[in-house]
Amino acid sequence: MAASCSFVCCGEERDTDKAVIVRFSNGSVKNPDRLDFSLYKNTDETNPRKKSRRILVAESDRLSYVGHNFGAGSLKCNSLCKWVTVACFDMLSLWRRLISVIPCKWRCTTLSSSTCNQLYQVDSLIEAFGTNKQKRALSSRKLNQVGSDTLQHAVDKAANTVINKKGLEALQQEVADAESQGELALHLPPCNANADKQENVYPFDNLLSPVEFEALEEAGSKMLAVTPEELQKMRDDGGCLSVVRHLENLPTADEARVKTARCAFYLSLLLKLVRQRSMTRKFGQEEGCPRIIQNKLFKTFTVETFNSGRLQNTVSASMRAKIAAYCLALLLHLGHMTADLTLLHRDLRITEARMIEVAKSMGLTLIRPARAKADEAGLQDNHTQASLLLPLVKYEQLTERRKRKKMH
């Protein structure tokens, strides 16, 4: 009797039942056991075009092969065939590693080699299976990484050139000179150190613009009409001694008299602001502060912070130092380029050492009173003055800390 056979259905075909047939484009493999195969599939099972996409990777000690059943490099065969073509990936692998490994070396200072390898594999998966948005993001990141590496190389080259040209000691001295200015240099009024006139070093228009100065006309008129009793009250309340001093000694010329009165009002607002923790839109309304001046104070002397679910305009420590510098510059214009530091530091409620530090950062010349005898010191109040002389003084900063006395 002749032999017979029959086909028996084994049920629905699963992915684990499917076999993968590969063909190497450069010939047959002599030692397939030395190759490590990895098969990847697209995770998008709902997309009929993507769910059948596969990538097969074969790695050896010398070469890397990769094949896929989609795209330009795949075989144009019947869709019923479950073949995957593996093509030699030597040159393409080298190019991809040049793009990914170079920035990876820069990143590996904080990442391990295994982590960098994982990042490289993730990038390869995105190139094969990622969406258009993911591919664009990957391409942008790689370009930025190459750009960062190029920029770093250019910075290193420029730094070496400068060091070789100037010398390391000279550069360290320049850095020390820049740091000697401290944080105060960031909050000084605009300065023209090369000006030929004293009044042009810290220009008045940078303290109060012509429009802002005109807006103080009504407020200045009120300051001109202040009575001796009101001046005495201001003196007793404290906090505006610098303002009282100039209102008591108003110039006789009309133009200078008006300028002093308007500046005195603006100075009183600055002295009031320095004692505030935060500034609101109600600030200065009782004094009749114009809206343009209020906006200037908001923009120039406050910092926006987020507190308790809302934005606040706070007067930080750095802004207090900025207010001190602007007050000092304003007093220089009112006092023929000389200001009383003692009165100002009392109005600002800061230490005299801090006030002198501000004056030094502005390049002013300090005029200290002569030391009086013990019996005469109690009868007079010696004030420290600051004058703007050309050229500006460049003070040397003490880098060494004072030695503490040993306790025995």
Side-chain angles (χ1 to χ4, degrees):
M1 182 177 179
S4 62
C5 63
S6 61
F7 293 96
V8 179
C9 180
C10 298
E12 185 178 357
E13 185 182 20
R14 296 173 297 180
D15 290 340
T16 55
D17 299 330
K18 298 178 180 179
V20 177
I21 302 176
V22 300
R23 180 175 66 89
F24 289 85
S25 60
N26 60 338
S28 60
V29 179
K30 296 181 179 180
N31 299 313
D33 296 336
R34 296 184 179 181
L35 293 176
D36 294 330
F37 291 91
S38 299
L39 181 64
Y40 302 93
K41 68 175 183 177
N42 198 305
T43 57
D44 191 356
E45 298 290 345
T46 60
N47 193 324
R49 293 187 177 181
K50 294 184 178 181
K51 68 178 182 179
S52 61
R53 292 183 177 182
R54 299 291 186 271
I55 289 182
L56 183 64
V57 178
E59 295 180 336
S60 66
D61 296 336
R62 298 176 59 249
L63 297 175
S64 297
Y65 300 88
V66 65
H68 46 80
N69 63 348
F70 61 93
S74 62
L75 288 177
K76 306 301 180 182
C77 59
N78 194 313
S79 60
L80 294 177
C81 299
K82 307 299 182 182
W83 295 359
V84 178
T85 302
V86 178
C88 179
F89 203 67
D90 190 13
M91 295 303 295
L92 184 56
S93 176
L94 177 62
W95 172 247
R96 290 174 61 185
R97 289 182 183 274
L98 281 175
I99 296 178
S100 301
V101 174
I102 287 178
C104 186
K105 291 180 180 178
W106 180 72
R107 291 189 309 235
C108 280
T109 55
T110 56
L111 298 178
S112 62
S113 58
S114 60
T115 305
C116 288
N117 189 30
Q118 292 176 0
L119 293 175
Y120 174 75
Q121 293 178 356
V122 171
D123 291 348
S124 300
L125 291 175
I126 292 177
E127 290 177 347
F129 296 111
T131 62
N132 292 334
K133 183 177 180 180
Q134 291 173 331
K135 292 179 180 179
R136 288 194 300 268
L138 176 61
S139 176
S140 177
R141 178 167 61 83
K142 287 183 176 181
L143 291 175
N144 290 337
Q145 288 172 353
V146 175
S148 299
D149 184 72
T150 304
L151 177 62
Q152 183 66 28
H153 178 71
V155 170
D156 294 340
K157 184 178 179 180
N160 292 330
T161 302
V162 174
I163 292 175
N164 295 333
K165 183 178 181 180
K166 290 189 174 182
L168 185 59
E169 294 182 359
L171 289 175
Q172 290 177 345
Q173 184 62 37
E174 290 183 3
V175 172
D177 294 340
E179 291 179 350
S180 65
Q181 299 297 329
E183 296 181 355
L184 287 174
L186 301 176
H187 305 296
L188 297 181
C191 176
N192 180 15
N194 299 323
D196 54 350
K197 295 182 179 180
Q198 294 173 312
E199 57 270 18
N200 294 334
V201 176
Y202 295 101
F204 182 79
D205 289 346
N206 290 334
L207 305 176
L208 277 174
S209 67
V211 177
E212 295 164 348
F213 184 77
E214 291 299 327
L216 292 171
E217 180 181 1
E218 183 177 352
S221 300
K222 293 181 180 180
M223 300 300 285
L224 290 174
V226 172
T227 62
E229 292 76 12
E230 292 174 336
L231 286 177
Q232 184 61 40
K233 185 177 183 303
M234 293 172 62
R235 187 183 296 104
D236 296 338
D237 294 341
C240 291
L241 298 179
S242 301
V243 177
V244 174
R245 169 71 63 86
H246 285 281
L247 290 179
E248 288 177 340
N249 300 278
L250 288 172
T252 56
D254 292 340
E255 184 177 355
R257 189 181 182 88
V258 170
K259 179 179 180 180
T260 301
R262 296 182 186 183
C263 292
F265 177 81
Y266 181 64
L267 180 62
S268 66
L269 292 178
L270 292 177
L271 296 177
K272 180 180 179 181
L273 179 62
V274 80
R275 297 189 289 270
Q276 307 292 323
R277 291 186 177 181
S278 60
M279 181 181 177
T280 63
R281 284 296 175 184
K282 295 182 180 180
F283 180 83
Q285 288 184 354
E286 296 181 358
E287 295 83 357
C289 176
R291 177 58 62 88
I292 187 175
I293 300 298
Q294 189 183 66
N295 293 337
K296 179 183 179 66
L297 297 178
F298 268 106
K299 181 179 179 180
T300 310
F301 302 108
T302 64
V303 179
E304 286 189 352
T305 57
F306 190 77
N307 187 19
S308 301
R310 61 190 181 92
L311 286 175
Q312 291 183 347
N313 292 84
T314 60
V315 185
S316 61
S318 60
M319 290 295 102
R320 298 180 197 278
K322 186 175 184 179
I323 292 175
Y326 274 72
C327 288
L328 181 53
L330 193 63
L331 287 173
L332 290 174
H333 284 277
L334 295 179
H336 304 287
M337 294 298 128
T338 300
D340 192 323
L341 295 183
T342 302
L343 287 182
L344 183 56
H345 91 78
R346 292 174 182 175
D347 290 340
L348 295 171
R349 297 181 181 179
I350 62 176
T351 63
E352 184 179 11
R354 181 63 169 170
M355 191 71 252
I356 292 177
E357 185 180 354
V358 173
K360 286 184 176 181
S361 65
M362 296 176 65
L364 304 182
T365 301
L366 300 180
I367 304 175
R368 302 177 185 270
R371 293 185 178 181
K373 297 181 180 180
D375 54 347
E376 297 178 358
L379 300 177
Q380 60 182 359
D381 189 8
N382 296 325
H383 288 201
T384 301
Q385 307 286 329
S387 297
L388 194 156
L389 302 178
L390 296 179
L392 297 179
V393 183
K394 186 177 181 181
Y395 293 91
E396 295 182 359
Q397 296 291 329
L398 296 178
T399 57
E400 297 181 358
R401 296 183 178 180
R402 294 181 180 178
K403 296 182 180 179
R404 297 182 179 180
K405 294 182 179 180
K406 295 183 180 180
M407 303 297 293
H408 298 286

